[in-house]
Amino acid sequence: MTVRTRFAPSPTGYLHIGGARTALFSWAYAKKHQGQFILRIEDTDVARSTPEAVQAILDGMHWLGLDYDEGPFYQMQRMEKYKQVIQQMLEAGTAYYCYCSKEELDALRESQMQAGLKPRYDGRWRPETGKVLPDAPKDIPPVVRFKNPMAGVVAWDDLVKGRIEISNAELDDLIIARADGTPTYNFCVVVDDWEMGVTHVIRGDDHVNNTPRQINLLKALNAQIPQYVHLSMILGDDGQKLSKRHGAVSVMQYDEDGYLPEAVLNYLARLGWSHGDDEVFSMAQFCQWFDLDHITASAAQFNTEKLNWLNAHYIKTMDLERLAEIVTPRLVKLGAAPAASPKLMDVLALYRERANNLNQLAAEIAYFYRTPAIHQADAEKHITEDAMPAIRHLYQELLSCDWTVEAIHKVIQETVTQFQLKFPKVAMPLRVMLTGIAQSPSIDAVMHLMGRELVLYRMSVYCKI
């Protein structure tokens, strides 16, 4: 059997982090078994589906690098196929027309609720042997309902949750086509999974209630039943269900916030799945290791601190040329377009150990390529009249010293000794003059990268030389 998985988002919003994890697990399972991964856009909710949301899904998949082997397929382009199957079911007697008006259904629901019963369709238009149905009213366009089995149970061995059994008596006759002829969600999913040969349905556990209905529909079509894998929900840092109020729940928001796709993927891979104590691994390793046995059935909790740690790790270890390529647009956005000097890769090599995300990294190195905004509190604290004699002396020494880290450090140290100061009394004012703030890597390394001309120019503003 060739493994075929699918990711089937509804384009009613962005690709959120829960959907991204579902896509990742489906993608990895197909890769592990040399199978196919399908992307299907379930856009039958015309009122809420938008082209912008479709594009957001495609952008998110592209950014994450989750390449699909087939698709994207769009359900709205498959309407004729759904209608053909509905007609076949009507002819086979596994579906039927229901002429209940909205008022009838509302009254039925109200009476059941008053009686303390679970609201459900009572089968009044369901054809049965010996049952006489009323004449079809001409003023009510009918829906089509699936003739769900009335006895027995529908059961499946969920590959995460274990054995699940639902009594058919709990399920009413599902509407599979609305009065205007458009098919409903559960029906379209079934036809698509059947036609596309999906062998493993990996999805969130909010779909567990749909599964028995879909299995019964598949059986009515004499279709192969896929294996089902229902992933637990993701909770926020506070233990509540992950939602917009937790911040970045859109995949592309993580890009905006300066996260690397490999860090997000690595983090999502560990969100409800584990491989021993391994924390950091490539997607090639993940696909090699991934199995369904080590997916936890309990809810996974999002940990922003862990994601930040992973992101920092990938920033520290990634190829400098690629890092420069992806940091450049963020610098440009800050009005600090990189120039020939200092080389951006050299600056990144000095600074990347200090950053948790790309935005922070870009902000911290922007002063190399634009006039820094001086932090007033730092300036008042460190650029004092007591420090200026030593700074002016240092300026003169820097005019002619060799421009190496070692030589610059030596000149600073000699100035400190000559003026009988502690090293920070010279280094801290220098940092503020050159970078705008009082924190930076080793000041001699910073000065070496900035170049003599820029260092002397920025010092001269304060030295009044």
Side-chain angles (χ1 to χ4, degrees), residues 253-333:
Q253 186 63 48
Y254 286 93
D255 180 30
E256 287 287 321
D257 290 346
Y259 289 90
L260 291 164
E262 46 264 68
V264 173
L265 285 169
N266 193 158
Y267 182 72
L268 287 178
R270 290 283 284 111
L271 204 56
W273 174 87
S274 62
H275 184 266
D277 295 328
D278 293 293
E279 294 282 357
V280 181
F281 42 80
S282 68
M283 283 302 98
Q285 287 174 307
F286 177 54
C287 290
Q288 181 183 344
W289 295 339
F290 184 64
D291 59 15
L292 303 174
D293 297 335
H294 289 86
I295 297 175
T296 178
S298 57
Q301 187 157 354
F302 200 89
N303 185 322
T304 304
E305 188 177 319
K306 178 63 71 67
L307 174 60
N308 289 340
W309 176 83
L310 269 174
N311 203 51
H313 167 81
Y314 279 100
I315 289 173
K316 291 172 188 173
T317 57
M318 77 184 307
D319 177 73
L320 276 170
E321 190 171 347
R322 178 169 172 244
L323 185 58
E325 183 181 322
I326 58 180
V327 166
T328 294
R330 297 172 196 270
L331 282 170
V332 171
K333 199 172 180 180

Coordinates of all heavy atoms in Angstrom, one line a residue, residues 253-333:
Q253 N 2.9 35.2 10.8 CA 3.2 36.1 11.9 C 4.6 35.8 12.5 O 5.3 36.7 12.9 CB 2.1 36.1 13.0 CG 2.3 37.2 14.1 CD 2.3 38.6 13.5 OE1 1.4 39.0 12.7 NE2 3.3 39.4 13.9
Y254 N 4.9 34.5 12.5 CA 6.2 34.1 13.0 C 7.3 34.6 12.1 O 8.4 35.0 12.6 CB 6.3 32.6 13.2 CG 5.5 32.1 14.4 CD1 4.2 31.7 14.3 CD2 6.0 32.1 15.7 CE1 3.4 31.3 15.4 CE2 5.3 31.8 16.8 CZ 4.0 31.4 16.6 OH 3.3 31.0 17.7
D255 N 7.1 34.6 10.8 CA 8.0 35.2 9.9 C 8.2 36.7 10.2 O 9.3 37.2 10.3 CB 7.5 35.0 8.5 CG 8.5 35.5 7.4 OD1 9.7 35.6 7.7 OD2 8.0 35.9 6.3
E256 N 7.0 37.4 10.3 CA 7.1 38.8 10.6 C 7.8 39.1 11.9 O 8.5 40.1 12.1 CB 5.6 39.3 10.8 CG 4.9 39.5 9.5 CD 5.3 40.6 8.6 OE1 5.7 41.7 9.2 OE2 5.4 40.5 7.4
D257 N 7.7 38.2 12.9 CA 8.3 38.4 14.2 C 9.8 38.0 14.3 O 10.4 38.0 15.3 CB 7.5 37.7 15.3 CG 6.2 38.3 15.5 OD1 5.9 39.5 15.0 OD2 5.3 37.7 16.2
G258 N 10.3 37.5 13.1 CA 11.7 37.2 13.1 C 12.1 35.8 13.4 O 13.3 35.5 13.8
Y259 N 11.2 34.9 13.3 CA 11.5 33.4 13.5 C 11.9 32.8 12.2 O 11.5 33.2 11.1 CB 10.3 32.7 14.1 CG 10.0 33.1 15.5 CD1 9.2 34.1 15.8 CD2 10.7 32.4 16.6 CE1 8.9 34.5 17.1 CE2 10.4 32.8 17.9 CZ 9.5 33.8 18.1 OH 9.3 34.2 19.4
L260 N 12.8 31.8 12.3 CA 13.2 31.0 11.1 C 12.3 29.9 10.9 O 11.8 29.2 11.9 CB 14.7 30.5 11.3 CG 15.8 31.6 11.3 CD1 17.0 31.0 11.9 CD2 16.0 32.1 9.9
P261 N 12.0 29.5 9.6 CA 11.1 28.4 9.4 C 11.6 27.1 10.0 O 10.8 26.3 10.5 CB 10.9 28.3 7.9 CG 12.1 29.1 7.3 CD 12.4 30.1 8.4
E262 N 12.9 26.8 9.9 CA 13.4 25.6 10.5 C 13.3 25.5 12.0 O 13.1 24.4 12.6 CB 14.9 25.4 10.1 CG 15.8 26.6 10.3 CD 16.0 27.4 9.0 OE1 15.0 28.0 8.6 OE2 17.1 27.4 8.5
A263 N 13.3 26.7 12.7 CA 13.1 26.7 14.1 C 11.6 26.4 14.4 O 11.3 25.6 15.4 CB 13.4 28.1 14.7
V264 N 10.7 27.0 13.7 CA 9.2 26.8 13.9 C 8.9 25.3 13.6 O 8.2 24.7 14.4 CB 8.4 27.7 13.0 CG1 6.9 27.4 13.1 CG2 8.6 29.2 13.4
L265 N 9.5 24.7 12.5 CA 9.2 23.3 12.2 C 9.7 22.4 13.3 O 9.1 21.5 13.7 CB 9.9 23.0 10.9 CG 9.2 23.5 9.6 CD1 10.0 23.3 8.4 CD2 7.8 22.8 9.4
N266 N 11.0 22.7 13.7 CA 11.6 21.9 14.8 C 10.7 21.9 16.0 O 10.5 20.9 16.7 CB 13.0 22.4 15.0 CG 13.9 21.4 15.9 OD1 15.1 21.5 15.8 ND2 13.3 20.6 16.7
Y267 N 10.3 23.1 16.4 CA 9.4 23.3 17.6 C 8.1 22.5 17.4 O 7.7 21.8 18.3 CB 9.2 24.7 17.9 CG 8.4 24.9 19.1 CD1 9.0 24.6 20.4 CD2 7.0 25.2 19.1 CE1 8.2 24.6 21.5 CE2 6.3 25.2 20.3 CZ 6.9 24.9 21.5 OH 6.1 25.0 22.6
L268 N 7.5 22.7 16.3 CA 6.2 22.0 16.0 C 6.3 20.5 16.0 O 5.4 19.8 16.5 CB 5.6 22.5 14.7 CG 5.0 23.9 14.6 CD1 4.5 24.2 13.2 CD2 3.9 24.1 15.6
A269 N 7.4 20.0 15.6 CA 7.7 18.6 15.5 C 7.7 18.0 17.0 O 7.2 16.9 17.2 CB 9.0 18.3 14.9
R270 N 8.1 18.8 17.9 CA 8.2 18.4 19.3 C 6.9 18.7 20.1 O 6.8 18.4 21.3 CB 9.4 19.0 20.0 CG 10.7 18.5 19.5 CD 11.1 17.2 20.1 NE 11.5 17.3 21.5 CZ 10.8 16.8 22.6 NH1 9.6 16.2 22.4 NH2 11.2 17.0 23.8
L271 N 5.9 19.3 19.4 CA 4.7 19.7 20.1 C 3.7 18.5 20.0 O 2.9 18.4 19.1 CB 4.2 20.9 19.4 CG 3.2 21.8 20.2 CD1 3.9 22.3 21.5 CD2 2.8 23.1 19.4
G272 N 3.8 17.6 21.0 CA 2.9 16.4 21.0 C 3.6 15.2 20.4 O 2.9 14.1 20.3
W273 N 4.9 15.2 20.1 CA 5.6 14.0 19.6 C 7.0 14.1 20.1 O 7.5 15.2 20.4 CB 5.6 14.0 18.1 CG 6.5 12.9 17.5 CD1 6.1 11.7 17.2 CD2 7.9 13.0 17.1 NE1 7.1 10.9 16.7 CE2 8.2 11.7 16.6 CE3 8.8 14.0 17.1 CZ2 9.5 11.5 16.2 CZ3 10.1 13.8 16.7 CH2 10.5 12.5 16.2
S274 N 7.6 13.0 20.3 CA 9.0 13.0 20.9 C 9.8 11.9 20.3 O 9.3 10.8 19.8 CB 9.0 12.9 22.4 OG 8.4 11.7 22.8
H275 N 11.1 12.1 20.3 CA 12.1 11.0 19.9 C 13.1 11.0 21.0 O 14.2 11.7 20.9 CB 12.7 11.3 18.5 CG 13.6 10.2 18.0 ND1 14.9 10.3 18.2 CD2 13.3 9.0 17.4 CE1 15.5 9.2 17.7 NE2 14.5 8.4 17.2
G276 N 12.8 10.3 22.1 CA 13.8 10.3 23.2 C 13.9 11.7 23.7 O 12.9 12.4 23.9
D277 N 15.2 12.1 24.0 CA 15.4 13.4 24.5 C 15.9 14.4 23.4 O 16.4 15.5 23.8 CB 16.5 13.3 25.6 CG 16.0 12.5 26.8 OD1 14.8 12.6 27.1 OD2 16.9 11.9 27.5
D278 N 15.8 14.0 22.2 CA 16.3 14.9 21.1 C 15.4 16.1 21.0 O 14.2 16.1 21.0 CB 16.2 14.1 19.8 CG 17.2 13.0 19.7 OD1 18.4 13.3 19.7 OD2 16.8 11.8 19.7
E279 N 16.1 17.3 21.0 CA 15.4 18.6 21.0 C 15.7 19.3 19.7 O 14.8 19.9 19.1 CB 15.9 19.5 22.1 CG 15.6 19.0 23.5 CD 14.1 19.3 23.9 OE1 13.4 20.0 23.1 OE2 13.7 18.9 25.0
V280 N 16.9 19.2 19.1 CA 17.2 19.9 17.9 C 17.5 18.8 16.8 O 18.4 18.0 17.0 CB 18.5 20.8 18.1 CG1 18.8 21.5 16.8 CG2 18.3 21.7 19.3
F281 N 16.8 19.0 15.7 CA 17.0 18.0 14.6 C 16.5 18.6 13.3 O 15.7 19.5 13.3 CB 16.3 16.7 14.9 CG 14.9 16.8 15.4 CD1 13.9 17.1 14.6 CD2 14.7 16.6 16.8 CE1 12.6 17.2 15.1 CE2 13.4 16.8 17.3 CZ 12.4 17.0 16.5
S282 N 17.1 18.1 12.2 CA 16.7 18.6 10.9 C 15.4 17.9 10.5 O 14.9 16.9 11.1 CB 17.7 18.3 9.9 OG 17.8 16.9 9.7
M283 N 14.7 18.5 9.4 CA 13.5 17.8 8.9 C 13.8 16.5 8.3 O 13.0 15.6 8.3 CB 12.8 18.8 7.9 CG 12.1 19.9 8.6 SD 10.8 19.4 9.8 CE 11.6 19.5 11.4
A284 N 15.0 16.3 7.7 CA 15.4 15.0 7.2 C 15.4 14.0 8.3 O 14.9 12.8 8.2 CB 16.8 15.1 6.5
Q285 N 16.0 14.4 9.5 CA 16.0 13.5 10.6 C 14.6 13.2 11.1 O 14.2 12.1 11.5 CB 16.8 14.1 11.8 CG 18.3 14.0 11.5 CD 19.1 14.8 12.6 OE1 18.8 15.9 12.9 NE2 20.1 14.1 13.2
F286 N 13.8 14.3 11.2 CA 12.4 14.1 11.6 C 11.6 13.1 10.8 O 10.9 12.2 11.3 CB 11.7 15.5 11.6 CG 10.3 15.4 12.0 CD1 9.9 14.9 13.2 CD2 9.3 16.0 11.2 CE1 8.5 14.8 13.6 CE2 7.9 16.0 11.6 CZ 7.6 15.4 12.8
C287 N 11.7 13.2 9.5 CA 11.0 12.3 8.6 C 11.5 10.9 8.8 O 10.7 9.9 8.7 CB 11.2 12.8 7.1 SG 10.3 14.3 6.7
Q288 N 12.8 10.7 9.1 CA 13.3 9.4 9.3 C 12.8 8.8 10.6 O 12.5 7.6 10.7 CB 14.9 9.5 9.3 CG 15.6 8.2 9.5 CD 17.1 8.3 9.6 OE1 17.6 9.3 9.3 NE2 17.7 7.3 10.1
W289 N 12.7 9.6 11.6 CA 12.3 9.2 13.0 C 10.8 9.1 13.1 O 10.3 8.3 14.0 CB 12.8 10.1 14.0 CG 14.3 10.1 14.2 CD1 15.2 9.2 13.7 CD2 15.1 11.2 14.8 NE1 16.5 9.6 14.0 CE2 16.5 10.8 14.7 CE3 14.8 12.4 15.4 CZ2 17.5 11.6 15.2 CZ3 15.8 13.2 15.9 CH2 17.1 12.8 15.8
F290 N 10.0 9.9 12.4 CA 8.6 10.2 12.7 C 7.8 8.9 12.7 O 7.9 8.1 11.8 CB 8.0 11.2 11.8 CG 6.6 11.5 12.1 CD1 6.3 12.2 13.3 CD2 5.5 11.2 11.3 CE1 5.0 12.5 13.7 CE2 4.2 11.5 11.6 CZ 4.0 12.2 12.8
D291 N 7.0 8.7 13.7 CA 6.0 7.6 13.8 C 4.8 8.1 14.5 O 4.8 9.1 15.1 CB 6.6 6.3 14.4 CG 7.1 6.6 15.9 OD1 6.7 7.6 16.4 OD2 7.8 5.7 16.4
L292 N 3.8 7.3 14.4 CA 2.5 7.7 15.1 C 2.4 7.2 16.5 O 1.6 7.7 17.3 CB 1.3 7.1 14.3 CG 1.3 7.6 12.8 CD1 0.1 6.9 12.1 CD2 1.1 9.1 12.7
D293 N 3.3 6.2 16.9 CA 3.3 5.6 18.2 C 3.7 6.6 19.3 O 3.3 6.5 20.5 CB 4.2 4.4 18.3 CG 3.8 3.3 17.4 OD1 2.6 3.3 17.0 OD2 4.6 2.5 16.9
H294 N 4.5 7.6 18.9 CA 5.0 8.5 19.9 C 4.3 9.9 19.9 O 4.9 10.9 20.4 CB 6.6 8.7 19.7 CG 7.3 7.5 20.1 ND1 7.5 6.4 19.2 CD2 7.9 7.1 21.3 CE1 8.2 5.5 19.8 NE2 8.4 5.9 21.1
I295 N 3.1 9.9 19.3 CA 2.3 11.1 19.4 C 1.5 11.0 20.7 O 0.8 10.0 20.9 CB 1.4 11.3 18.2 CG1 2.2 11.5 16.9 CG2 0.4 12.4 18.4 CD1 1.3 11.5 15.7
T296 N 1.5 12.0 21.5 CA 0.8 11.9 22.8 C -0.7 12.2 22.6 O -1.0 13.1 21.7 CB 1.4 12.9 23.8 OG1 0.6 12.9 25.0 CG2 1.4 14.4 23.3
A297 N -1.5 11.5 23.3 CA -3.0 11.7 23.2 C -3.4 12.9 24.1 O -4.5 13.4 23.9 CB -3.7 10.5 23.6
S298 N -2.6 13.4 24.9 CA -2.9 14.5 25.8 C -2.6 15.8 25.1 O -1.8 15.9 24.2 CB -2.2 14.5 27.1 OG -0.8 14.4 26.9
A299 N -3.2 16.9 25.5 CA -3.0 18.2 24.9 C -1.5 18.7 25.0 O -0.9 18.4 26.0 CB -3.9 19.3 25.6
A300 N -1.0 19.3 24.0 CA 0.3 19.8 23.9 C 0.3 21.3 24.4 O -0.6 22.0 24.0 CB 0.9 19.7 22.5
Q301 N 1.3 21.7 25.1 CA 1.3 23.1 25.6 C 2.4 23.9 24.9 O 3.6 23.4 24.9 CB 1.5 23.1 27.1 CG 1.4 24.5 27.7 CD 1.0 24.6 29.2 OE1 0.8 23.5 29.8 NE2 1.0 25.7 29.8
F302 N 2.0 25.0 24.3 CA 3.0 25.8 23.6 C 3.9 26.5 24.7 O 3.5 27.0 25.7 CB 2.2 26.9 22.8 CG 3.0 27.5 21.7 CD1 3.0 27.0 20.5 CD2 3.8 28.7 22.0 CE1 3.8 27.5 19.4 CE2 4.5 29.2 21.0 CZ 4.5 28.7 19.7
N303 N 5.2 26.6 24.3 CA 6.2 27.2 25.2 C 7.0 28.2 24.4 O 7.9 27.8 23.7 CB 7.1 26.1 25.8 CG 8.0 26.6 26.9 OD1 8.6 27.7 26.8 ND2 8.2 25.8 27.9
T304 N 6.7 29.4 24.5 CA 7.3 30.5 23.8 C 8.8 30.5 24.1 O 9.7 30.7 23.2 CB 6.7 31.8 24.0 OG1 5.3 31.7 23.7 CG2 7.3 32.9 23.2
E305 N 9.2 30.3 25.4 CA 10.6 30.3 25.8 C 11.4 29.3 25.0 O 12.5 29.5 24.6 CB 10.7 30.1 27.3 CG 12.1 30.3 27.9 CD 12.1 30.2 29.4 OE1 11.1 30.7 30.0 OE2 13.0 29.6 29.9
K306 N 10.8 28.1 24.9 CA 11.5 27.0 24.2 C 11.6 27.3 22.7 O 12.7 27.1 22.1 CB 10.7 25.7 24.4 CG 11.3 24.5 23.6 CD 12.7 24.1 24.1 CE 12.7 23.5 25.5 NZ 12.0 22.2 25.6
L307 N 10.6 27.9 22.1 CA 10.7 28.3 20.7 C 11.8 29.4 20.5 O 12.5 29.3 19.5 CB 9.3 28.8 20.2 CG 9.3 29.5 18.8 CD1 9.7 28.4 17.7 CD2 7.9 30.0 18.5
N308 N 11.8 30.3 21.4 CA 12.9 31.3 21.3 C 14.3 30.7 21.4 O 15.2 31.1 20.7 CB 12.7 32.4 22.4 CG 11.5 33.3 22.2 OD1 11.0 33.4 21.0 ND2 11.0 33.9 23.2
W309 N 14.4 29.8 22.3 CA 15.7 29.1 22.5 C 16.1 28.4 21.2 O 17.3 28.4 20.7 CB 15.6 28.1 23.6 CG 16.9 27.3 23.8 CD1 18.0 27.6 24.4 CD2 17.1 25.9 23.2 NE1 18.9 26.6 24.3 CE2 18.4 25.5 23.6 CE3 16.3 25.0 22.5 CZ2 18.9 24.3 23.3 CZ3 16.8 23.8 22.1 CH2 18.1 23.4 22.5
L310 N 15.2 27.7 20.6 CA 15.4 27.0 19.3 C 15.8 28.0 18.2 O 16.7 27.8 17.4 CB 14.2 26.2 18.9 CG 14.1 24.7 19.3 CD1 12.8 24.1 18.9 CD2 15.2 23.9 18.7
N311 N 15.0 29.1 18.1 CA 15.3 30.1 17.1 C 16.7 30.7 17.3 O 17.4 30.8 16.3 CB 14.2 31.2 17.2 CG 14.1 31.9 15.9 OD1 13.9 31.3 14.8 ND2 14.2 33.3 15.9
A312 N 17.1 31.0 18.5 CA 18.4 31.5 18.7 C 19.5 30.5 18.3 O 20.5 30.8 17.7 CB 18.6 31.8 20.2
H313 N 19.2 29.2 18.6 CA 20.2 28.1 18.2 C 20.4 28.1 16.7 O 21.5 28.0 16.2 CB 19.6 26.8 18.6 CG 20.4 25.6 18.0 ND1 21.6 25.2 18.5 CD2 20.1 24.8 16.9 CE1 22.0 24.2 17.7 NE2 21.1 23.9 16.8
Y314 N 19.3 28.2 15.9 CA 19.4 28.2 14.5 C 20.0 29.4 13.9 O 20.8 29.4 12.9 CB 18.0 28.0 13.8 CG 17.6 26.5 13.8 CD1 16.7 26.0 14.8 CD2 18.1 25.6 12.9 CE1 16.3 24.7 14.8 CE2 17.7 24.3 12.9 CZ 16.8 23.8 13.9 OH 16.5 22.5 13.9
I315 N 19.8 30.6 14.5 CA 20.5 31.8 14.1 C 22.0 31.7 14.3 O 22.8 32.0 13.5 CB 19.9 33.0 14.9 CG1 18.5 33.3 14.4 CG2 20.8 34.2 14.7 CD1 17.8 34.4 15.2
K316 N 22.4 31.1 15.5 CA 23.8 30.9 15.8 C 24.5 30.0 14.9 O 25.7 30.1 14.7 CB 23.9 30.5 17.2 CG 23.5 31.5 18.3 CD 23.5 30.8 19.7 CE 23.0 31.7 20.7 NZ 22.8 31.1 22.0
T317 N 23.8 29.0 14.4 CA 24.5 27.9 13.6 C 24.3 27.9 12.1 O 24.9 27.1 11.4 CB 24.0 26.5 14.2 OG1 22.6 26.5 14.1 CG2 24.4 26.4 15.6
M318 N 23.4 28.8 11.6 CA 23.1 28.8 10.2 C 24.2 29.4 9.4 O 25.1 30.2 9.9 CB 21.8 29.4 9.9 CG 21.8 30.9 9.9 SD 20.1 31.6 9.7 CE 19.6 30.8 8.2
D319 N 24.2 29.1 8.1 CA 25.2 29.6 7.1 C 25.1 31.2 7.1 O 24.0 31.7 7.0 CB 24.9 29.1 5.8 CG 25.8 29.6 4.7 OD1 27.0 29.3 4.7 OD2 25.3 30.5 3.9
L320 N 26.3 31.8 7.3 CA 26.3 33.3 7.4 C 25.8 34.0 6.1 O 25.1 35.0 6.2 CB 27.7 33.8 7.7 CG 28.1 33.8 9.2 CD1 29.6 34.1 9.3 CD2 27.3 34.8 9.9
E321 N 26.0 33.4 5.0 CA 25.6 34.0 3.7 C 24.0 34.0 3.7 O 23.4 35.0 3.3 CB 26.1 33.2 2.5 CG 25.9 33.9 1.2 CD 26.6 33.2 0.0 OE1 27.5 32.4 0.3 OE2 26.3 33.5 -1.1
R322 N 23.4 32.9 4.1 CA 21.9 32.8 4.1 C 21.4 33.8 5.1 O 20.4 34.4 4.9 CB 21.4 31.4 4.4 CG 19.9 31.4 4.4 CD 19.3 30.0 4.4 NE 17.9 30.1 4.7 CZ 17.3 29.6 5.8 NH1 18.0 29.0 6.7 NH2 16.0 29.8 5.9
L323 N 22.1 33.8 6.3 CA 21.6 34.7 7.4 C 21.6 36.2 6.9 O 20.7 36.9 7.1 CB 22.5 34.6 8.6 CG 22.1 35.4 9.8 CD1 20.7 35.0 10.3 CD2 23.1 35.1 11.0
A324 N 22.7 36.5 6.2 CA 22.8 37.9 5.6 C 21.7 38.2 4.6 O 21.1 39.3 4.6 CB 24.2 38.1 4.9
E325 N 21.3 37.2 3.8 CA 20.3 37.3 2.8 C 18.9 37.6 3.5 O 18.2 38.4 3.0 CB 20.2 36.0 2.0 CG 19.2 36.1 0.9 CD 19.2 34.7 0.1 OE1 20.3 34.2 -0.1 OE2 18.1 34.3 -0.3
I326 N 18.6 36.9 4.6 CA 17.3 37.1 5.2 C 17.2 38.3 6.2 O 16.2 38.7 6.5 CB 16.8 35.8 5.8 CG1 17.8 35.3 6.9 CG2 16.6 34.7 4.8 CD1 17.3 34.0 7.6
V327 N 18.4 38.7 6.7 CA 18.4 39.9 7.6 C 18.4 41.2 6.8 O 17.8 42.2 7.2 CB 19.7 39.8 8.5 CG1 19.9 41.2 9.2 CG2 19.5 38.7 9.5
T328 N 18.9 41.2 5.5 CA 19.0 42.4 4.7 C 17.6 43.1 4.6 O 17.6 44.3 4.8 CB 19.6 42.1 3.4 OG1 21.0 41.7 3.5 CG2 19.5 43.3 2.5
P329 N 16.5 42.4 4.2 CA 15.3 43.1 4.1 C 14.8 43.8 5.4 O 14.2 44.8 5.4 CB 14.3 42.1 3.7 CG 15.1 40.9 3.1 CD 16.4 41.0 3.8
R330 N 15.1 43.2 6.5 CA 14.8 43.7 7.8 C 15.6 44.9 8.2 O 15.1 45.9 8.8 CB 14.9 42.6 8.9 CG 14.0 41.4 8.7 CD 14.3 40.3 9.6 NE 13.6 39.1 9.1 CZ 12.4 38.7 9.4 NH1 11.6 39.4 10.2 NH2 11.8 37.6 8.8
L331 N 16.8 45.0 7.7 CA 17.7 46.2 7.9 C 17.1 47.3 7.0 O 17.0 48.4 7.5 CB 19.1 45.9 7.5 CG 19.9 45.1 8.6 CD1 21.3 44.6 8.0 CD2 20.2 46.0 9.8
V332 N 16.8 47.0 5.8 CA 16.3 48.0 4.9 C 15.0 48.6 5.4 O 14.8 49.8 5.4 CB 16.0 47.4 3.5 CG1 15.2 48.3 2.6 CG2 17.3 46.9 2.8
K333 N 14.2 47.8 6.1 CA 12.9 48.3 6.7 C 13.2 49.2 7.8 O 12.4 50.1 8.1 CB 12.1 47.1 7.2 CG 10.7 47.3 7.5 CD 10.0 46.0 7.8 CE 8.5 46.3 8.1 NZ 7.8 45.0 8.4

